[in-house]
């Protein structure tokens, strides 16, 4: 039976994928591995607050993980089988 949690998770997942910048962040993390927020800001050339909001949505949707090392958080793809399959699809669509 579907629960409130299922529908909330499903909604967050699709909201996270509904923005091209968030999909690009996923692609960068998939292609280059863990990156910091500062590295992502440098890639985009947009304000750190905007990147932070995108990362927050991706984290809430369970698509990425954040690992703190001293004063820096490294973001990476959440390596679940479903997300790995999703990233392979995104990778095929970019070429």
């Amino acid at each position: 039976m579907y629960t409130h949690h299922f529908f909330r998770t499903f909604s967050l997942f699709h909201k996270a994928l509904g923005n091209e910048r968030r999909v690009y962040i996923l692609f960068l993390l998939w292609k280059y591995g863990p990156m910091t927020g500062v590295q992502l800001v440098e890639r985009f050339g947009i304000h750190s607050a905007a990147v932070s909001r995108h990362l927050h949505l991706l984290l809430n949707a369970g698509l990425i993980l954040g690992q703190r090392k001293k004063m820096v958080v490294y973001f990476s793809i959440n390596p679940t089988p479903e997300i790995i399959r999703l990233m392979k699809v995104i990778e095929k669509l970019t070429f």
Side-chain angles (χ1 to χ4, degrees):
M1 181 170 199
Y2 296 109
T3 64
H4 173 73
H5 176 73
F6 168 80
F7 290 110
R8 176 155 173 70
T9 302
F10 187 80
S11 177
L12 286 171
F13 181 80
H14 286 281
K15 181 177 182 179
L17 293 176
N19 179 284
E20 64 186 72
R21 287 185 174 166
R22 287 191 287 272
V23 174
Y24 185 59
I25 288 171
L26 287 173
F27 179 74
L28 289 175
L29 295 174
W30 173 253
K31 185 168 180 161
Y32 298 109
M35 297 176 80
T36 67
V38 171
Q39 291 170 317
L40 290 166
V41 166
E42 290 171 354
R43 289 269 185 176
F44 276 108
I46 62 174
H47 293 284
S48 61
V51 171
S52 179
R53 282 192 303 273
H54 290 308
L55 290 170
H56 181 75
L57 274 166
L58 292 167
L59 281 165
N60 281 344
L63 293 166
I64 65 172
L65 301 173
Q67 182 179 14
R68 183 174 294 280
K69 292 184 181 176
K70 296 186 182 182
M71 299 292 290
V72 180
V73 177
Y74 287 86
F75 298 95
S76 61
I77 295 294
N78 187 350
T80 65
E82 297 82 10
I83 296 173
I84 298 297
R85 272 187 299 223
L86 170 68
M87 295 314 302
K88 288 179 180 179
V89 169
I90 290 173
E91 186 174 46
K92 285 181 183 179
L93 293 173
T94 60
F95 295 103

